[in-house]
mmCIF file of all heavy atoms in Angstrom:
data_model
loop_
_atom_site.group_PDB
_atom_site.id
_atom_site.type_symbol
_atom_site.label_atom_id
_atom_site.label_comp_id
_atom_site.label_asym_id
_atom_site.label_seq_id
_atom_site.Cartn_x
_atom_site.Cartn_y
_atom_site.Cartn_z
ATOM 1 N N LEU A 422 13.900 11.674 32.618
ATOM 2 C CA LEU A 422 14.565 10.593 33.358
ATOM 3 C C LEU A 422 13.833 10.233 34.649
ATOM 4 O O LEU A 422 14.366 9.479 35.470
ATOM 5 C CB LEU A 422 16.009 10.994 33.655
ATOM 6 C CG LEU A 422 16.879 11.264 32.417
ATOM 7 C CD1 LEU A 422 18.247 11.795 32.822
ATOM 8 C CD2 LEU A 422 17.030 9.996 31.583
ATOM 9 N N ALA A 423 12.628 10.749 34.828
ATOM 10 C CA ALA A 423 11.896 10.465 36.069
ATOM 11 C C ALA A 423 11.667 8.970 36.257
ATOM 12 O O ALA A 423 11.752 8.448 37.377
ATOM 13 C CB ALA A 423 10.563 11.212 36.064
ATOM 14 N N THR A 424 11.378 8.266 35.160
ATOM 15 C CA THR A 424 11.148 6.816 35.279
ATOM 16 C C THR A 424 12.410 6.097 35.728
ATOM 17 O O THR A 424 12.333 5.050 36.396
ATOM 18 C CB THR A 424 10.672 6.256 33.930
ATOM 19 O OG1 THR A 424 9.514 6.972 33.505
ATOM 20 C CG2 THR A 424 10.302 4.785 34.044
ATOM 21 N N GLU A 425 13.575 6.652 35.382
ATOM 22 C CA GLU A 425 14.830 6.016 35.810
ATOM 23 C C GLU A 425 14.944 6.043 37.341
ATOM 24 O O GLU A 425 15.438 5.078 37.954
ATOM 25 C CB GLU A 425 16.034 6.732 35.185
ATOM 26 C CG GLU A 425 15.959 6.909 33.675
ATOM 27 C CD GLU A 425 15.576 5.636 32.965
ATOM 28 O OE1 GLU A 425 16.234 4.595 33.201
ATOM 29 O OE2 GLU A 425 14.612 5.679 32.172
ATOM 30 N N ILE A 426 14.510 7.142 37.956
ATOM 31 C CA ILE A 426 14.521 7.213 39.427
ATOM 32 C C ILE A 426 13.617 6.139 40.006
ATOM 33 O O ILE A 426 13.995 5.422 40.942
ATOM 34 C CB ILE A 426 14.081 8.616 39.898
ATOM 35 C CG1 ILE A 426 15.116 9.673 39.464
ATOM 36 C CG2 ILE A 426 13.895 8.634 41.419
ATOM 37 C CD1 ILE A 426 14.709 11.097 39.823
ATOM 38 N N ALA A 427 12.406 6.024 39.448
ATOM 39 C CA ALA A 427 11.454 5.032 39.964
ATOM 40 C C ALA A 427 12.008 3.621 39.798
ATOM 41 O O ALA A 427 11.935 2.798 40.726
ATOM 42 C CB ALA A 427 10.120 5.183 39.251
ATOM 43 N N ASP A 428 12.574 3.316 38.622
ATOM 44 C CA ASP A 428 13.112 1.975 38.395
ATOM 45 C C ASP A 428 14.300 1.699 39.324
ATOM 46 O O ASP A 428 14.462 0.573 39.834
ATOM 47 C CB ASP A 428 13.541 1.827 36.931
ATOM 48 C CG ASP A 428 12.360 1.688 35.986
ATOM 49 O OD1 ASP A 428 11.236 1.455 36.461
ATOM 50 O OD2 ASP A 428 12.562 1.810 34.751
ATOM 51 N N TRP A 429 15.138 2.705 39.535
ATOM 52 C CA TRP A 429 16.287 2.521 40.434
ATOM 53 C C TRP A 429 15.801 2.217 41.851
ATOM 54 O O TRP A 429 16.348 1.333 42.528
ATOM 55 C CB TRP A 429 17.137 3.790 40.428
ATOM 56 C CG TRP A 429 18.379 3.692 41.265
ATOM 57 C CD1 TRP A 429 19.589 3.200 40.900
ATOM 58 C CD2 TRP A 429 18.523 4.100 42.646
ATOM 59 N NE1 TRP A 429 20.490 3.271 41.927
ATOM 60 C CE2 TRP A 429 19.859 3.813 43.027
ATOM 61 C CE3 TRP A 429 17.667 4.667 43.574
ATOM 62 C CZ2 TRP A 429 20.346 4.081 44.301
ATOM 63 C CZ3 TRP A 429 18.149 4.942 44.849
ATOM 64 C CH2 TRP A 429 19.469 4.656 45.211
ATOM 65 N N LEU A 430 14.766 2.903 42.301
ATOM 66 C CA LEU A 430 14.217 2.646 43.637
ATOM 67 C C LEU A 430 13.646 1.230 43.733
ATOM 68 O O LEU A 430 13.789 0.569 44.777
ATOM 69 C CB LEU A 430 13.120 3.671 43.957
ATOM 70 C CG LEU A 430 13.617 5.085 44.277
ATOM 71 C CD1 LEU A 430 12.451 6.072 44.253
ATOM 72 C CD2 LEU A 430 14.314 5.113 45.643
ATOM 73 N N VAL A 431 13.015 0.770 42.676
ATOM 74 C CA VAL A 431 12.483 -0.599 42.673
ATOM 75 C C VAL A 431 13.621 -1.594 42.865
ATOM 76 O O VAL A 431 13.493 -2.588 43.601
ATOM 77 C CB VAL A 431 11.711 -0.880 41.370
ATOM 78 C CG1 VAL A 431 11.426 -2.369 41.218
ATOM 79 C CG2 VAL A 431 10.405 -0.092 41.349
ATOM 80 N N GLU A 432 14.748 -1.332 42.228
ATOM 81 C CA GLU A 432 15.901 -2.225 42.377
ATOM 82 C C GLU A 432 16.458 -2.199 43.804
ATOM 83 O O GLU A 432 17.149 -3.142 44.221
ATOM 84 C CB GLU A 432 16.993 -1.840 41.382
ATOM 85 C CG GLU A 432 16.621 -2.139 39.929
ATOM 86 C CD GLU A 432 17.698 -1.709 38.965
ATOM 87 O OE1 GLU A 432 18.563 -0.894 39.360
ATOM 88 O OE2 GLU A 432 17.688 -2.184 37.810
ATOM 89 N N GLN A 433 16.152 -1.120 44.546
ATOM 90 C CA GLN A 433 16.582 -1.036 45.950
ATOM 91 C C GLN A 433 15.562 -1.675 46.891
ATOM 92 O O GLN A 433 15.727 -1.632 48.109
ATOM 93 C CB GLN A 433 16.808 0.425 46.362
ATOM 94 C CG GLN A 433 17.632 1.261 45.400
ATOM 95 C CD GLN A 433 18.927 0.590 44.979
ATOM 96 O OE1 GLN A 433 19.719 0.136 45.821
ATOM 97 N NE2 GLN A 433 19.155 0.521 43.659
ATOM 98 N N GLY A 434 14.475 -2.230 46.310
ATOM 99 C CA GLY A 434 13.481 -2.905 47.128
ATOM 100 C C GLY A 434 12.240 -2.079 47.420
ATOM 101 O O GLY A 434 11.360 -2.529 48.170
ATOM 102 N N VAL A 435 12.135 -0.871 46.879
ATOM 103 C CA VAL A 435 10.966 -0.024 47.110
ATOM 104 C C VAL A 435 9.846 -0.452 46.164
ATOM 105 O O VAL A 435 10.089 -0.715 44.979
ATOM 106 C CB VAL A 435 11.315 1.468 46.867
ATOM 107 C CG1 VAL A 435 10.093 2.351 47.060
ATOM 108 C CG2 VAL A 435 12.451 1.892 47.792
ATOM 109 N N ALA A 436 8.632 -0.542 46.675
ATOM 110 C CA ALA A 436 7.490 -0.888 45.827
ATOM 111 C C ALA A 436 7.295 0.180 44.758
ATOM 112 O O ALA A 436 7.463 1.379 45.029
ATOM 113 C CB ALA A 436 6.225 -1.012 46.677
ATOM 114 N N PHE A 437 6.914 -0.232 43.562
ATOM 115 C CA PHE A 437 6.826 0.730 42.481
ATOM 116 C C PHE A 437 5.794 1.817 42.767
ATOM 117 O O PHE A 437 5.981 2.980 42.375
ATOM 118 C CB PHE A 437 6.496 0.059 41.142
ATOM 119 C CG PHE A 437 6.567 1.017 39.976
ATOM 120 C CD1 PHE A 437 7.786 1.350 39.415
ATOM 121 C CD2 PHE A 437 5.415 1.629 39.471
ATOM 122 C CE1 PHE A 437 7.866 2.264 38.367
ATOM 123 C CE2 PHE A 437 5.490 2.532 38.427
ATOM 124 C CZ PHE A 437 6.720 2.850 37.867
ATOM 125 N N ARG A 438 4.711 1.477 43.438
ATOM 126 C CA ARG A 438 3.706 2.494 43.768
ATOM 127 C C ARG A 438 4.346 3.646 44.548
ATOM 128 O O ARG A 438 4.112 4.827 44.257
ATOM 129 C CB ARG A 438 2.569 1.855 44.568
ATOM 130 C CG ARG A 438 1.443 2.823 44.927
ATOM 131 C CD ARG A 438 0.374 2.098 45.765
ATOM 132 N NE ARG A 438 -0.712 2.991 46.088
ATOM 133 C CZ ARG A 438 -1.786 3.205 45.335
ATOM 134 N NH1 ARG A 438 -1.885 2.568 44.168
ATOM 135 N NH2 ARG A 438 -2.739 4.029 45.709
ATOM 136 N N GLU A 439 5.179 3.275 45.542
ATOM 137 C CA GLU A 439 5.862 4.297 46.341
ATOM 138 C C GLU A 439 6.960 4.970 45.528
ATOM 139 O O GLU A 439 7.144 6.196 45.609
ATOM 140 C CB GLU A 439 6.455 3.659 47.595
ATOM 141 C CG GLU A 439 7.168 4.654 48.505
ATOM 142 C CD GLU A 439 7.809 3.997 49.723
ATOM 143 O OE1 GLU A 439 7.589 2.767 49.931
ATOM 144 O OE2 GLU A 439 8.549 4.697 50.450
ATOM 145 N N ALA A 440 7.676 4.185 44.727
ATOM 146 C CA ALA A 440 8.760 4.737 43.910
ATOM 147 C C ALA A 440 8.224 5.772 42.927
ATOM 148 O O ALA A 440 8.861 6.813 42.686
ATOM 149 C CB ALA A 440 9.468 3.614 43.152
ATOM 150 N N HIS A 441 7.059 5.512 42.387
ATOM 151 C CA HIS A 441 6.440 6.455 41.456
ATOM 152 C C HIS A 441 6.147 7.778 42.159
ATOM 153 O O HIS A 441 6.393 8.869 41.596
ATOM 154 C CB HIS A 441 5.146 5.843 40.894
ATOM 155 C CG HIS A 441 4.512 6.617 39.784
ATOM 156 N ND1 HIS A 441 3.785 7.766 39.995
ATOM 157 C CD2 HIS A 441 4.500 6.410 38.440
ATOM 158 C CE1 HIS A 441 3.339 8.232 38.840
ATOM 159 N NE2 HIS A 441 3.765 7.422 37.865
ATOM 160 N N GLU A 442 5.648 7.725 43.377
ATOM 161 C CA GLU A 442 5.346 8.943 44.133
ATOM 162 C C GLU A 442 6.625 9.720 44.438
ATOM 163 O O GLU A 442 6.672 10.950 44.343
ATOM 164 C CB GLU A 442 4.624 8.578 45.434
ATOM 165 C CG GLU A 442 3.215 8.028 45.246
ATOM 166 C CD GLU A 442 2.282 9.068 44.669
ATOM 167 O OE1 GLU A 442 2.336 10.234 45.114
ATOM 168 O OE2 GLU A 442 1.503 8.728 43.748
ATOM 169 N N ILE A 443 7.677 9.017 44.817
ATOM 170 C CA ILE A 443 8.950 9.676 45.137
ATOM 171 C C ILE A 443 9.509 10.378 43.905
ATOM 172 O O ILE A 443 9.937 11.542 43.965
ATOM 173 C CB ILE A 443 9.969 8.646 45.683
ATOM 174 C CG1 ILE A 443 9.489 8.099 47.041
ATOM 175 C CG2 ILE A 443 11.358 9.255 45.794
ATOM 176 C CD1 ILE A 443 10.291 6.905 47.535
ATOM 177 N N ALA A 444 9.495 9.684 42.768
ATOM 178 C CA ALA A 444 9.998 10.282 41.532
ATOM 179 C C ALA A 444 9.166 11.499 41.153
ATOM 180 O O ALA A 444 9.697 12.520 40.695
ATOM 181 C CB ALA A 444 9.991 9.249 40.409
ATOM 182 N N GLY A 445 7.861 11.405 41.371
ATOM 183 C CA GLY A 445 6.982 12.530 41.064
ATOM 184 C C GLY A 445 7.290 13.750 41.921
ATOM 185 O O GLY A 445 7.246 14.895 41.438
ATOM 186 N N LYS A 446 7.619 13.529 43.189
ATOM 187 C CA LYS A 446 7.979 14.648 44.072
ATOM 188 C C LYS A 446 9.294 15.288 43.633
ATOM 189 O O LYS A 446 9.471 16.509 43.740
ATOM 190 C CB LYS A 446 8.081 14.159 45.518
ATOM 191 C CG LYS A 446 6.721 13.798 46.120
ATOM 192 C CD LYS A 446 6.864 13.258 47.534
ATOM 193 C CE LYS A 446 5.501 12.865 48.122
ATOM 194 N NZ LYS A 446 5.632 12.289 49.479
ATOM 195 N N CYS A 447 10.215 14.454 43.135
ATOM 196 C CA CYS A 447 11.471 15.001 42.609
ATOM 197 C C CYS A 447 11.196 15.908 41.407
ATOM 198 O O CYS A 447 11.789 16.990 41.271
ATOM 199 C CB CYS A 447 12.415 13.868 42.201
ATOM 200 S SG CYS A 447 13.083 12.912 43.585
ATOM 201 N N LEU A 466 17.543 15.391 47.431
ATOM 202 C CA LEU A 466 17.076 14.036 47.138
ATOM 203 C C LEU A 466 16.770 13.277 48.427
ATOM 204 O O LEU A 466 15.750 12.581 48.533
ATOM 205 C CB LEU A 466 18.135 13.283 46.316
ATOM 206 C CG LEU A 466 18.377 13.794 44.889
ATOM 207 C CD1 LEU A 466 19.552 13.078 44.252
ATOM 208 C CD2 LEU A 466 17.122 13.589 44.028
ATOM 209 N N GLN A 467 17.630 13.423 49.421
ATOM 210 C CA GLN A 467 17.407 12.750 50.707
ATOM 211 C C GLN A 467 16.156 13.279 51.401
ATOM 212 O O GLN A 467 15.455 12.536 52.092
ATOM 213 C CB GLN A 467 18.621 12.953 51.614
ATOM 214 C CG GLN A 467 19.794 12.028 51.290
ATOM 215 C CD GLN A 467 19.556 10.625 51.824
ATOM 216 O OE1 GLN A 467 19.411 10.412 53.038
ATOM 217 N NE2 GLN A 467 19.485 9.661 50.909
ATOM 218 N N VAL A 469 13.471 14.179 50.008
ATOM 219 C CA VAL A 469 12.295 13.580 49.363
ATOM 220 C C VAL A 469 12.083 12.170 49.877
ATOM 221 O O VAL A 469 10.961 11.765 50.208
ATOM 222 C CB VAL A 469 12.460 13.575 47.832
ATOM 223 C CG1 VAL A 469 11.306 12.817 47.161
ATOM 224 C CG2 VAL A 469 12.542 14.982 47.290
ATOM 225 N N SER A 470 13.184 11.401 49.989
ATOM 226 C CA SER A 470 13.084 10.021 50.476
ATOM 227 C C SER A 470 14.453 9.565 50.944
ATOM 228 O O SER A 470 15.459 9.805 50.271
ATOM 229 C CB SER A 470 12.589 9.085 49.378
ATOM 230 O OG SER A 470 12.691 7.735 49.774
ATOM 231 N N GLY A 471 14.467 8.902 52.086
ATOM 232 C CA GLY A 471 15.718 8.354 52.593
ATOM 233 C C GLY A 471 16.266 7.259 51.701
ATOM 234 O O GLY A 471 17.437 6.892 51.811
ATOM 235 N N SER A 472 15.422 6.734 50.802
ATOM 236 C CA SER A 472 15.879 5.675 49.887
ATOM 237 C C SER A 472 16.699 6.224 48.739
ATOM 238 O O SER A 472 17.340 5.463 48.008
ATOM 239 C CB SER A 472 14.673 4.910 49.319
ATOM 240 O OG SER A 472 13.939 4.285 50.349
ATOM 241 N N LEU A 473 16.674 7.559 48.562
ATOM 242 C CA LEU A 473 17.424 8.159 47.454
ATOM 243 C C LEU A 473 18.835 8.506 47.922
ATOM 244 O O LEU A 473 19.048 9.451 48.661
ATOM 245 C CB LEU A 473 16.723 9.424 46.952
ATOM 246 C CG LEU A 473 15.466 9.232 46.101
ATOM 247 C CD1 LEU A 473 14.802 10.566 45.817
ATOM 248 C CD2 LEU A 473 15.814 8.519 44.806
ATOM 249 N N SER A 474 19.804 7.728 47.482
ATOM 250 C CA SER A 474 21.200 7.980 47.810
ATOM 251 C C SER A 474 21.893 8.586 46.598
ATOM 252 O O SER A 474 21.354 8.561 45.488
ATOM 253 C CB SER A 474 21.895 6.660 48.198
ATOM 254 O OG SER A 474 22.056 5.840 47.052
ATOM 255 N N ALA A 476 23.933 7.387 44.814
ATOM 256 C CA ALA A 476 24.132 6.368 43.769
ATOM 257 C C ALA A 476 23.102 6.462 42.653
ATOM 258 O O ALA A 476 23.319 5.955 41.540
ATOM 259 C CB ALA A 476 24.097 4.972 44.392
ATOM 260 N N VAL A 477 21.967 7.124 42.929
ATOM 261 C CA VAL A 477 20.929 7.240 41.902
ATOM 262 C C VAL A 477 21.415 8.035 40.704
ATOM 263 O O VAL A 477 20.885 7.902 39.599
ATOM 264 C CB VAL A 477 19.653 7.898 42.506
ATOM 265 C CG1 VAL A 477 19.873 9.396 42.748
ATOM 266 C CG2 VAL A 477 18.453 7.697 41.580
ATOM 267 N N VAL A 480 22.035 6.629 37.087
ATOM 268 C CA VAL A 480 21.003 6.373 36.075
ATOM 269 C C VAL A 480 20.436 7.666 35.499
ATOM 270 O O VAL A 480 19.545 7.631 34.641
ATOM 271 C CB VAL A 480 19.857 5.512 36.659
ATOM 272 C CG1 VAL A 480 20.388 4.180 37.155
ATOM 273 C CG2 VAL A 480 19.092 6.239 37.755
#
Side-chain angles (χ1 to χ4, degrees):
L422 299 174
T424 304
E425 308 312 307
I426 294 177
D428 286 347
W429 183 86
L430 286 167
V431 167
E432 291 178 342
Q433 312 311 309
V435 178
F437 187 80
R438 182 182 181 88
E439 181 183 353
H441 188 283
E442 292 295 317
I443 294 170
K446 290 177 181 178
C447 291
L466 293 173
Q467 281 283 299
V469 174
S470 171
S472 299
L473 285 174
S474 71
V477 73
V480 301

